[in-house]
Amino acid sequence: MRIHSLAVAQSLASLNTSAAGLDAAEAARRLAEYGPNQFEEVRRKHLLLRFAQEFTHFFAIILWIGATLSFVAEHFDPGQGMARLGVAIVGVIVINGVFSFWQEYRAERAVAALRQLLPQKVKVSRGGEIVEVLASDLVPGDVALLEAGDFIAADCRLTEVNGLRVNLSTVTGESLARARDIEASSEESPLHARNVVLAGTSVVAGQARAVVYATGKHTEFGRIAQLTQTAGEASSPLQQEIARLSRLVAFLATGMGLLLFLVGQAMGLPAWENMLFAIGIIIANVPEGLLPTVTLSLAMATQRMARRNALVRHLPAVEALGSTTVICSDKTGTLTENRMSVQSLWIGGAFMPRADLAARPQIVDDHRQLFINAALCHNLKEVGDKGRQTLHGDPMELALVEIGRNTAGDLEGFERLDEIPFDTDRKRMSVLCQTPQGRMLYCKGALETVIAGCRDIQFDAGLAPLDPAARTRLLAAQDEMAGAGLRVLAFAHRAVDAEQPADEQGMTLAGLIGLADPPRAEVPEAVARCAAAGIRIIMVTGDHPRTALAIGRQIGLVRSEQPLLISGEQLRLMSPTQLQLALDAPEILFARVAAEQKMRIVESLKKKGEVVAATGDGVNDAPALKSAHIGIAMGIGGTDVAKAAADLILLDDNFASIVAAIEEGRAVFDNIRKFLTYILSSNIPQIVPFLAFVLFRIPLPLTVIQILAVDLGTDMLPALALGAEKPDPAVMQRPPRARRERLLSWGLIGRAYLFLGVLEAAAAMAIFFHVLDAAGWHYGQQLAGTDPLYLQATSACLATIVVMQVINVVLCRHPQRSSLAYGLLAGNRTLQVAIACELAVIGFILYTATGNWLFGTAPIAATSWLLAAACGLLMWSLEELRKALVRRAQKG
């Protein structure tokens, strides 16, 4: 039997306790049996295991094999530089692994955040005496005492209440504080039972006694914690693509290395020479700089996003956000301001927006009693030192007091004498005040209960009887305001003689005030930008369906007459298939949904092939944030639990910042493709020298250590500079990329390997032979690895690849647009610095003794540089011609 369905006496009996609470001995026994009121942490992979995984992915395994073979070759044939090569490869692995682990590592803070949110001490009745105990020592059967400002430490069944109102937003997502009572409830879920208060929520007004029936992981709060920890870690699209690319390149490199090793054996190459050849092919095919370049590019994007108020906690989330197709957005605190505000009034028989009050002082004077009522009729508490006091309590009452004090003017001489508190039967509250005009009773509450005690109504022309016609007008006004998603309260007053009882009869109805949690001003534009970018927004809220629909219309999320509106109860009855079909609706809203239901919606969208971002700020949002491809939490109004579960935190709680982050995320994918094209282009001029070495029995034009000099020395900074390219102006005018669209597309492979790479390889080999030919070398002549001519020829080959890559980085700034449209290097200062550094590195390698020793190089003549520059200019001309043909074909 659910405890909220039982009467007070039955609920106490079911827990073997009484209104006086447990005695100390029984409380200690139950604490030993049920355990402390804390949340258990789910066992996770050991930190060392997660660290080790950074060194065992496909790229790393291939590089480990290459390093091992290098050391073995050095052992059996010393003096060939293979040890230096092995050390360099191990250095690449270590740098990659440590950097990736540092960037990706995060401590699981959800449980700690949950503990911090709960109060440390709680007042309870133990054996009839009021004592303070640690929140962790609460046990089922304890009777807790609650008052305004308290956080609630466990799930409790109320036994006594006095004007109790509770803020449930952190658990249920409801923006309005809710009144509580002690009557048995027929609700299916305790989340909506009026006689229950839940761990993690707070008391905004009133006092109560409540018996604890669930602690720790058994509370609704604890269940959410469990969902947050056990929700599957969703791999971002970029992670999946990098994993796919890693496997592809690893298998390709290994396959080519083994195949050509066998070819070398068949051709009778010496064993160690053949092994050197195989290692060279593997290393030439593995873009060692790809992973650190991707990681650093994402890190740079996070810095740009932080300047736009989006703090990235997990690097892959940057690109994942850019490929988002659906945003599941919470309402309270995300689309709205998470504060109650007066939006509209019905006074004098007509509607008036709040903004018009200042322009109509006569109306304010005629209806001053309404604003005095709003200023005085409340249960707020003043907190702080004398002269610096602030009001704390129900956000709705705070909003009413604000408009009341600002509009009614000077309230000196008004003194509160007594109160008739709010309760759920009367649905109203009243205060008796001494005023300069005598004693007055001010009443506010639901219209249907306030109107029952009214005799007159205040119109602009004066008082009029509250006849059926006036009642009809009032009810119609209330319906119109409620239809706009407003919370409507009626206000009434009457004079009270000292001899008369201060009852709520014979009052004058002063008017209606409509309040709402207003949408953020920037949200409608952000919603429109998402629509232009082909991104769906689905509101998923714990608030009332009518409120959700009204906010949806205000922000432009709902435009049709009949959008699909699904409540949590309807969702509970839907099968997985029905839910996936419902998600095909062009406009769909979810209201009154629980935490696990939000996660279910996210999972259903993922099954449909969507890339899902989920936003939220409350504890109830955390499981959905964790389950989504990217979770977005509010930085100001968000709970610690939501932030710990999220991948991205909005520092300004501004939904519009999501759009800016999406723009940056889309740019990241484009930029990764740019530097992937750039990096892969240099693979061909690295592979071709080894193929020519084996097939044509010529001196090896490029050594393995020089390949690493290109991949990790000269190419790294320009690749990073491509990762820093600003978003294309049209990036938010196109739909999200197709889920099946690969990072390494056939078009990219063709451009990098079959066009740009071939041009670079041809230039490198041509200048290598030019240096040999100029010195009188003839085919078949063997050159020692230390021969000055051989060192100059390989150095010229290396320099040519670097020069071609300098031209290539400019060409790779856009796959179709002419590099002249960018002003070559304009618009990206990082690229200018990177090219300067690239040239400085090759200068160090060629013209310093240290560089010559490390990389087996020698200074080259000016003729080689001029020929390399001419080849670069030819490649630029041919690529610009290709781009022009592509643009013409697209226009045609």
Side-chain angles (χ1 to χ4, degrees), residues 65 91 110 126 166 168 296 313 338 390 415 419 429 461 486 492 553 574 602 614 671 702 727 764 861 884:
I65 293 172
R126 290 270 171 94
V166 181
L168 304 170
L296 286 170
R313 295 185 67 242
N338 197 20
T390 57
E415 181 185 357
E419 174 186 335
M429 75 168 290
L486 302 182
R553 292 194 186 282
M574 295 175 75
V602 169
N671 289 348
L702 194 70

Side-chain angles (χ1 to χ4, degrees), residues 561-837:
E561 290 296 323
Q562 294 295 329
L564 183 56
L565 183 58
I566 298 177
S567 69
E569 182 61 25
Q570 292 171 319
L571 180 58
R572 186 178 65 82
L573 300 175
M574 295 175 75
S575 69
T577 301
Q578 288 173 320
L579 175 57
Q580 285 190 231
L581 289 172
L583 288 168
D584 290 330
E587 293 182 349
I588 183 170
L589 305 173
F590 291 91
R592 282 288 171 91
V593 294
E596 62 271 20
Q597 291 178 321
K598 290 190 175 190
M599 189 168 70
R600 184 186 170 196
I601 293 166
V602 169
E603 293 292 345
S604 293
L605 286 165
K606 287 164 65 178
K607 288 178 182 176
K608 291 176 69 67
E610 306 283 2
V611 178
V612 185
T615 75
D617 60 351
V619 176
N620 61 312
D621 299 312
L625 298 184
K626 189 82 172 286
S627 179
H629 289 106
I630 175 166
I632 307 169
M634 303 298 112
I636 299 174
T639 62
D640 287 343
V641 183
K643 294 174 188 175
D647 303 287
L648 183 119
I649 298 172
L650 299 183
L651 300 178
D652 58 355
D653 285 13
N654 188 337
F655 185 84
S657 296
I658 297 176
V659 181
I662 288 174
E663 184 177 28
E664 290 289 353
R666 289 190 173 187
V668 164
F669 187 83
D670 290 346
N671 289 348
I672 290 176
R673 274 192 161 174
K674 292 174 186 178
F675 67 62
L676 193 58
T677 305
Y678 174 77
I679 288 173
L680 295 181
S681 296
S682 65
N683 278 7
I684 299 302
Q686 293 171 8
I687 293 172
V688 167
F690 281 90
L691 294 176
F693 167 68
V694 172
L695 298 177
F696 302 110
R697 307 297 297 155
I698 63 171
L700 182 62
L702 194 70
T703 66
V704 177
I705 199 74
Q706 289 169 353
I707 290 175
L708 288 179
V710 173
D711 287 347
L712 299 175
T714 59
D715 272 4
M716 184 74 78
L717 289 178
L720 279 174
L722 287 175
E725 287 279 285
K726 295 179 180 178
D728 189 272
V731 73
M732 291 300 288
Q733 299 298 318
R734 65 181 191 228
R737 65 181 177 87
R739 187 68 185 272
R740 294 185 178 181
E741 185 179 347
R742 298 301 185 188
L743 186 64
L744 189 63
S745 65
W746 287 113
L748 188 153
I749 293 173
R751 183 181 175 214
Y753 280 166
L754 303 181
F755 187 66
L756 296 172
V758 168
L759 292 174
E760 290 191 19
M765 294 300 294
I767 294 177
F768 172 76
F769 284 118
H770 167 77
V771 173
L772 293 179
D773 184 67
W777 176 86
H778 57 84
Y779 182 75
Q781 179 182 345
Q782 295 299 313
L783 294 175
T786 56
D787 188 305
L789 175 59
Y790 177 72
L791 294 178
Q792 282 190 343
T794 57
S795 298
C797 181
L798 173 63
T800 303
I801 294 174
V802 171
V803 170
M804 299 296 279
Q805 284 290 84
V806 168
I807 303 299
N808 191 27
V809 76
V810 176
L811 296 172
C812 288
R813 295 185 72 186
H814 199 282
Q816 297 169 5
R817 189 177 302 172
S818 170
S819 57
L820 296 176
Y822 285 91
L824 294 180
L825 300 179
N828 189 342
R829 183 170 180 80
T830 307
L831 187 59
Q832 300 171 15
V833 174
I835 290 177
C837 290

Side-chain angles (χ1 to χ4, degrees), residues 76-398:
F76 287 100
D77 191 12
Q80 300 300 315
M82 298 303 288
R84 279 181 293 165
L85 174 61
V87 170
I89 296 174
V90 171
V92 171
I93 299 169
V94 171
I95 293 171
N96 273 352
V98 171
F99 188 81
S100 295
F101 176 76
W102 177 255
Q103 291 289 348
E104 299 298 336
Y105 167 72
R106 67 179 187 269
E108 287 296 336
R109 301 298 302 168
V111 173
L114 285 167
R115 290 178 181 149
Q116 292 167 8
L117 189 59
L118 293 179
Q120 299 301 306
K121 288 194 173 182
V122 183
K123 288 182 181 178
V124 298
S125 177
R126 290 270 171 94
E129 294 185 4
I130 307 302
V131 296
E132 276 195 345
V133 300
L134 292 174
S136 59
D137 290 342
L138 280 179
V139 295
D142 265 330
V143 173
L145 282 71
L146 307 172
E147 60 181 18
D150 285 349
F151 278 92
I152 298 164
D155 288 356
C156 306
R157 164 62 160 97
L158 293 165
T159 58
E160 298 177 28
V161 296
N162 180 17
L164 186 70
R165 297 177 70 80
V166 181
N167 182 349
L168 304 170
S169 63
T170 56
V171 173
T172 67
E174 293 181 275
S175 57
L176 297 175
R178 294 294 177 182
R180 304 283 93 175
D181 59 35
I182 62 173
E183 301 303 320
S185 172
S186 60
E187 289 281 355
E188 183 77 16
S189 168
L191 290 172
H192 304 301
R194 294 173 60 89
N195 58 11
V196 163
V197 289
L198 303 173
T201 61
S202 59
V203 179
V204 297
Q207 302 84 34
R209 280 179 172 247
V211 59
V212 175
Y213 69 85
T215 59
K217 66 180 181 180
H218 301 292
T219 63
E220 294 297 319
F221 206 73
R223 284 196 315 105
I224 294 172
Q226 192 78 4
L227 282 172
T228 303
Q229 296 178 76
T230 56
E233 295 278 359
S235 296
S236 77
L238 180 62
Q239 287 174 311
Q240 296 168 6
E241 279 298 294
I242 292 295
R244 176 180 173 272
L245 177 61
S246 299
R247 289 192 296 268
L248 180 64
V249 172
F251 285 129
L252 177 65
T254 305
M256 286 189 65
L258 291 175
L259 176 63
L260 293 173
F261 178 81
L262 296 176
V263 171
Q265 289 292 95
M267 295 179 63
L269 283 178
W272 296 116
E273 189 175 302
N274 199 18
M275 181 174 288
L276 171 66
F277 166 60
I279 293 173
I281 289 293
I282 291 173
I283 293 175
N285 273 282
V286 174
E288 294 85 0
L290 176 61
L291 291 182
T293 303
V294 169
T295 305
L296 286 170
S297 176
L298 293 175
M300 291 162 63
T302 65
Q303 294 174 357
R304 295 196 303 271
M305 292 169 77
R307 290 194 290 270
R308 302 178 78 171
N309 294 308
L311 176 65
V312 177
R313 295 185 67 242
H314 308 146
L315 287 184
V318 177
E319 189 277 332
L321 188 61
S323 57
T324 295
T325 59
V326 177
I327 300 174
C328 288
S329 177
D330 183 38
K331 179 186 73 68
T332 306
T334 306
L335 299 173
T336 65
E337 297 179 358
N338 197 20
R339 65 175 183 86
M340 296 301 292
S341 172
V342 173
Q343 302 292 302
S344 178
L345 302 92
W346 191 85
I347 52 177
F351 289 107
M352 178 180 291
R354 177 180 177 169
D356 290 355
L357 285 177
R360 304 182 66 181
Q362 186 60 48
I363 293 290
V364 172
D365 289 342
D366 292 344
H367 299 276
R368 187 166 182 260
Q369 289 295 341
L370 170 64
F371 301 105
I372 294 173
N373 191 339
L376 298 178
C377 191
H378 60 79
N379 271 322
L380 302 174
K381 285 191 173 184
E382 290 190 350
V383 178
D385 299 330
K386 190 172 182 180
R388 299 179 60 186
Q389 292 182 328
T390 57
L391 293 174
H392 285 254
D394 188 338
M396 180 186 67
E397 291 194 329
L398 287 170

